[in-house]
Amino acid sequence: MKTTDNLETLRARLAEFAAERDWEQFHNPKNLAMALAGETGELLEHFQWLTFEQAAHLPHDARAEVALEAADVLLFLVRLCDKLDIDLAAACDKKLALNAKKYPVDKSRGKATKYDKL
Amino acid sequence: MKTTDNLETLRARLAEFAAERDWEQFHNPKNLAMALAGETGELLEHFQWLTFEQAAHLPHDARAEVALEAADVLLFLVRLCDKLDIDLAAACDKKLALNAKKYPVDKSRGKATKYDKL
Amino acid sequence: MKTTDNLETLRARLAEFAAERDWEQFHNPKNLAMALAGETGELLEHFQWLTFEQAAHLPHDARAEVALEAADVLLFLVRLCDKLDIDLAAACDKKLALNAKKYPVDKSRGKATKYDKL
Amino acid sequence: MKTTDNLETLRARLAEFAAERDWEQFHNPKNLAMALAGETGELLEHFQWLTFEQAAHLPHDARAEVALEAADVLLFLVRLCDKLDIDLAAACDKKLALNAKKYPVDKSRGKATKYDKL
């Protein structure tokens, strides 16, 4: 079975994975938020001493490792949202709409300024 | 346009969003990894003083805020993978296969032990 | 030489350690902030699946590992402040004074509420 | 009362601050590790879109904000170690000794390579 690029499929696979292992007891949202942050920290460590140039051109091996760390982040994020009954895709739609308002093209072009200081 | 639950659609929307604003210059993987970690930290803060019971039953408003933080995490993660030319869905498939090997059902049932200590 | 519990001594030792290894070139504040976050992530991972009871009574080995992670956090924090010319002890004094104002004893007793919602 | 640059003084002040507010109940190590990670995330966010040049020369206001975030990190770290009965200064001494072994001057000079790949 493939994730076929789909958050709902991924959610279902992770729920099954946890249920088979009786891991529901550990998958409280508090724990999952911590696990998510831990994985993000691991991902971050790959980049901490790199120049921008190096970060944009990771060697093949490093890129493969980063890909697996990125997957870990997504897996815990999807699992967290599942346990909180959050529709992650809908939340992304909502956030993208908010971002479009907060960062109008003409005011934010070429600037990394946070919206409240634009 | 909706994300329709699909990582590739999301990737394309974020690429367009950044291109329209001339944000490519800021979206180096190093910066995006930092932004990802920052958003994860914000998500984490919602849970830091909660009991497990409270974390599992967020009030409506808190849940809506967490949903938007979760979206932020996914948006930066998808953008990061795009800039690194990482196929996030494929990485998830690979990681899930690895996890199934590292955590065989019979050895890991009911345990939060890390695979290397199972 | 011992740190003798003193931030200034620690700062000086770390500066010397970096200088001897010609690491100044890597110790840009951006990189050090990332390294700090990476170490915090490692510390966090020790606690992610624990109950409150377990977290408050770590086994001896786990506690020794957490102690070294905590040290890593402090080392990068002190180094970061040094490179930014921030007096960390003075910043703590200032922050403690701010916290005393934001969290008056009578209003905050027994509550984990953030100051802006007290 | 000043911290006078001393971890033990800081520890004692924070213990008193928490006791006065009856916050012991919230200061489980699991919660404190999360709070620490949350603060580190806030610190990180100050640097995420900056060039190395900008990060090394923060404007006055940004530097003052970063100083307070750095203080928050230290406050939670010291509090966490207190609750775990970890002697943070001793852990730093131990870690510095370990680092000196893992990164001998002649092998690590001018390299950001992790010790296990030196």
Side-chain angles (χ1 to χ4, degrees):
Chain A
M1 186 167 63
K2 291 235 306 169
T3 62
T4 59
D5 196 24
N6 181 285
L7 292 173
E8 167 53 24
T9 313
L10 197 51
R11 187 203 61 72
R13 289 184 68 182
L14 292 170
E16 192 190 340
F17 197 92
E20 285 172 352
R21 282 157 188 78
D22 193 18
W23 282 357
E24 289 295 325
Q25 58 186 309
F26 306 117
H27 285 188
N28 181 277
K30 185 172 178 114
N31 290 356
L32 291 167
M34 294 177 81
L36 173 67
E39 296 299 340
T40 311
E42 290 184 25
L43 197 156
L44 197 64
E45 289 181 336
H46 284 270
F47 294 96
Q48 65 197 15
W49 305 123
L50 304 189
T51 63
F52 290 116
E53 186 64 21
Q54 290 168 331
H57 300 95
L58 292 184
H60 185 269
D61 285 6
R63 207 166 63 96
E65 287 173 32
V66 168
L68 291 180
E69 307 283 16
D72 274 330
V73 173
L74 184 55
L75 300 184
F76 279 121
L77 181 67
V78 167
R79 187 79 185 120
L80 172 65
C81 288
D82 191 14
K83 298 303 291 182
L84 291 169
D85 238 327
I86 284 171
D87 181 334
L88 184 54
C92 283
D93 280 333
K94 194 170 169 190
K95 187 73 206 203
L96 282 165
L98 282 170
N99 282 350
K101 269 195 204 167
K102 290 202 288 190
Y103 299 99
V105 169
D106 58 330
K107 284 177 74 178
S108 55
R109 197 193 312 270
K111 291 184 220 159
T113 319
K114 211 176 166 182
Y115 69 92
D116 53 6
K117 301 193 177 166
L118 270 180
Chain B
M1 186 168 63
K2 291 236 306 171
T3 62
T4 59
D5 196 26
N6 181 286
L7 292 173
E8 168 52 24
T9 312
L10 197 51
R11 188 205 60 72
R13 288 184 68 183
L14 292 170
E16 192 190 339
F17 196 92
E20 285 172 354
R21 282 157 187 79
D22 194 17
W23 282 357
E24 289 294 326
Q25 59 187 308
F26 306 117
H27 285 188
N28 181 278
K30 185 172 178 115
N31 291 354
L32 291 167
M34 294 176 82
L36 173 66
E39 295 300 339
T40 312
E42 290 183 27
L43 198 156
L44 197 64
E45 289 181 337
H46 284 271
F47 294 96
Q48 65 197 16
W49 306 124
L50 303 188
T51 63
F52 290 116
E53 186 63 22
Q54 291 168 331
H57 301 95
L58 292 183
H60 184 268
D61 285 6
R63 208 166 62 97
E65 287 172 32
V66 168
L68 292 180
E69 307 283 14
D72 273 332
V73 172
L74 184 55
L75 300 184
F76 279 122
L77 181 67
V78 167
R79 187 79 185 120
L80 172 65
C81 288
D82 190 15
K83 297 305 291 183
L84 290 169
D85 236 328
I86 284 172
D87 180 335
L88 183 54
C92 283
D93 281 334
K94 195 171 169 188
K95 187 74 206 201
L96 282 166
L98 283 171
N99 283 349
K101 271 197 203 166
K102 290 201 288 191
Y103 298 100
V105 169
D106 58 331
K107 283 177 75 178
S108 55
R109 196 191 315 268
K111 292 185 220 159
T113 319
K114 211 177 166 183
Y115 69 93
D116 52 6
K117 300 193 177 167
L118 270 181
Chain C
M1 184 166 66
K2 291 236 306 169
T3 62
T4 60
D5 196 26
N6 181 285
L7 293 173
E8 167 53 23
T9 313
L10 197 51
R11 187 204 61 72
R13 289 184 68 183
L14 292 170
E16 193 190 341
F17 196 91
E20 284 172 354
R21 282 157 188 79
D22 194 17
W23 282 358
E24 289 294 327
Q25 59 187 308
F26 307 117
H27 284 188
N28 181 277
K30 186 173 178 112
N31 290 354
L32 291 167
M34 294 176 82
L36 173 67
E39 296 299 340
T40 311
E42 290 183 26
L43 198 157
L44 197 64
E45 289 181 337
H46 284 270
F47 294 96
Q48 66 197 16
W49 306 123
L50 303 188
T51 63
F52 290 116
E53 187 63 21
Q54 291 168 331
H57 301 94
L58 293 183
H60 184 269
D61 285 6
R63 208 165 62 97
E65 286 173 32
V66 168
L68 291 179
E69 307 284 13
D72 273 331
V73 172
L74 184 55
L75 300 183
F76 278 122
L77 181 67
V78 167
R79 188 79 186 119
L80 172 64
C81 288
D82 190 15
K83 298 304 290 183
L84 290 169
D85 237 328
I86 284 172
D87 181 335
L88 183 53
C92 283
D93 281 333
K94 194 170 169 188
K95 187 74 206 202
L96 282 165
L98 283 171
N99 283 350
K101 270 196 204 166
K102 291 201 289 190
Y103 299 100
V105 168
D106 58 330
K107 284 177 74 178
S108 55
R109 197 192 313 270
K111 291 184 221 159
T113 319
K114 211 176 166 184
Y115 69 92
D116 53 7
K117 300 194 176 166
L118 271 180
Chain D
M1 186 168 64
K2 291 235 308 170
T3 62
T4 60
D5 196 24
N6 182 285
L7 292 173
E8 167 53 25
T9 313
L10 197 52
R11 187 203 61 72
R13 288 184 68 181
L14 291 171
E16 193 190 340
F17 195 93
E20 285 172 352
R21 283 159 188 77
D22 193 19
W23 282 358
E24 290 294 326
Q25 59 186 308
F26 306 118
H27 285 187
N28 181 278
K30 186 172 178 114
N31 290 355
L32 291 167
M34 294 176 82
L36 173 67
E39 296 299 340
T40 311
E42 290 183 25
L43 197 157
L44 198 63
E45 289 181 337
H46 284 270
F47 294 96
Q48 66 197 15
W49 305 123
L50 304 188
T51 63
F52 290 116
E53 186 64 20
Q54 290 168 331
H57 300 94
L58 292 184
H60 184 269
D61 285 4
R63 208 165 62 97
E65 287 172 33
V66 168
L68 291 180
E69 306 283 15
D72 273 330
V73 172
L74 184 55
L75 300 184
F76 278 121
L77 181 67
V78 167
R79 186 81 185 119
L80 172 65
C81 287
D82 191 15
K83 299 303 291 181
L84 290 169
D85 237 327
I86 284 172
D87 180 335
L88 183 55
C92 282
D93 280 334
K94 194 170 169 190
K95 187 73 205 202
L96 282 165
L98 282 170
N99 282 349
K101 270 196 203 165
K102 290 201 289 191
Y103 298 100
V105 169
D106 58 330
K107 283 177 74 177
S108 55
R109 197 191 314 267
K111 290 185 221 161
T113 319
K114 210 177 167 184
Y115 70 92
D116 53 6
K117 301 194 176 166
L118 270 180

